[in-house]
Amino acid sequence: MSDSKLADQYLDAAIGLLHRIRDEEAEPITAAGTLLADTVATGGRLFAFGAGHSSLAAQDIVYRAGGLALMNLLAVPGVVGVDVMPATLGSALERVDGLATAVLDSSPLRAGDALVIISLSGRNALPVEMAMHARTLGAKVIGVTSVAYAARTTSRHASGTYLKDHCNIVLDSKIAVGDAELTLDTVPAPFAPASTVVTTALLQAVMATAAGTLADRGIDPPLLRSGNVDGGHDWNARVLEEYGDRIFYRH
């Protein structure tokens, strides 16, 4: 099989997943965007968290041209991306009980805020505990996960529950267990993950909904512009100054 044929198969698989979330997740996407708009309108702050590769989708909506300036990355030492050495340590930390509670209790998150938690499997202790404790603190939680994992894996949290069980709103990424879209007789394992593509698009759909909802209410959405267009830096400086009390990535 040619490389181009495999590339076509992968892109078709990703496009198919995007069509599914468009058609099947329209209601929760609207609900999530509305929740974020409500939070902005009532003076709340926005946070996003993901561990390992799930952090890529979280980072994509923070300090982003065309994105909401109020979205802050909730960082857990050792699990933001795969830059910790060894990389396997990040996976181990996701299974540590008590870590999420300690992080949230030391963070600016408070009642009335909104937290987006991204975890493909939703089974590890860290995202489950984070959702549980965030809601105890009075924050609203949007979970982005593959619901299929709950039916085919065992929870790694003491409660036996998954991220999806502790969220105000759940967005199902539709990613198959194992996160690999292709198989080939000559390749010993499934390959070509699509979770980052799909989850990033899913969250950008939520951000677009939030911006449009704010505009419909007569509220200028606090959006950032690209620093590579004329006037972009001045625009961003104004937005960052106006909403400085709800933006934490500047400090």
Side-chain angles (χ1 to χ4, degrees):
M1 181 176 293
S2 69
D3 291 343
S4 61
K5 181 65 173 178
L6 287 173
D8 289 347
Q9 287 186 11
Y10 174 77
L11 292 172
D12 286 343
I15 291 167
L17 286 164
L18 292 174
H19 282 165
R20 283 192 66 193
I21 63 171
R22 180 196 62 191
D23 297 339
E24 300 173 21
E25 295 298 296
E27 185 174 338
I29 287 171
T30 298
T34 301
L35 188 155
L36 295 184
D38 290 343
T39 304
V40 172
T42 56
R45 292 88 62 82
L46 309 178
F47 296 87
F49 167 77
H53 287 96
S54 291
S55 181
L56 298 176
Q59 293 179 56
D60 190 61
I61 56 175
V62 175
Y63 190 52
R64 189 70 162 84
L68 292 174
L70 274 60
M71 185 62 70
N72 299 278
L73 186 67
L74 184 64
V76 177
V79 303
V80 180
V82 292
D83 57 342
V84 62
M85 296 297 291
T88 51
L89 174 60
S91 298
L93 289 173
E94 290 185 63
R95 299 192 290 272
V96 174
D97 293 330
L99 180 57
T101 296
V103 167
L104 287 179
D105 287 346
S106 302
S107 78
L109 186 83
R110 66 186 185 191
D113 293 345
L115 171 60
V116 178
I117 301 176
I118 306 154
S119 173
L120 178 60
S121 72
R123 69 187 296 218
N124 287 312
L126 183 57
V128 175
E129 180 185 327
M130 183 168 290
M132 295 172 69
H133 194 55
R135 294 189 69 180
T136 298
L137 295 174
K140 300 291 187 181
V141 176
I142 298 169
V144 187
T145 187
S146 172
V147 173
Y149 275 82
R152 296 185 56 189
T153 66
T154 302
S155 171
R156 289 174 174 154
H157 188 261
S159 66
T161 60
Y162 296 78
L163 170 62
K164 72 177 185 63
D165 299 317
H166 304 284
C167 301
N168 298 94
I169 298 168
V170 176
L171 298 169
D172 184 2
S173 65
K174 314 295 183 182
I175 298 295
V177 174
D179 191 17
E181 294 300 318
L182 302 182
T183 59
L184 200 60
D185 291 342
T186 55
V187 178
F191 59 102
S195 60
T196 303
V197 173
V198 174
T199 304
T200 299
L202 183 52
L203 283 173
Q204 290 297 349
V206 172
M207 296 300 113
T209 302
T213 301
L214 286 168
D216 288 344
R217 298 177 184 178
I219 301 171
D220 287 338
L223 298 170
L224 295 172
R225 303 189 72 172
S226 172
N228 294 312
V229 299
D230 291 343
H233 287 298
D234 291 338
W235 173 282
N236 291 342
R238 177 184 59 79
V239 172
L240 294 175
E241 177 65 26
E242 182 176 351
Y243 292 94
D245 61 333
R246 291 193 264 175
I247 296 171
F248 302 97
Y249 50 78
R250 301 177 66 197
H251 308 294

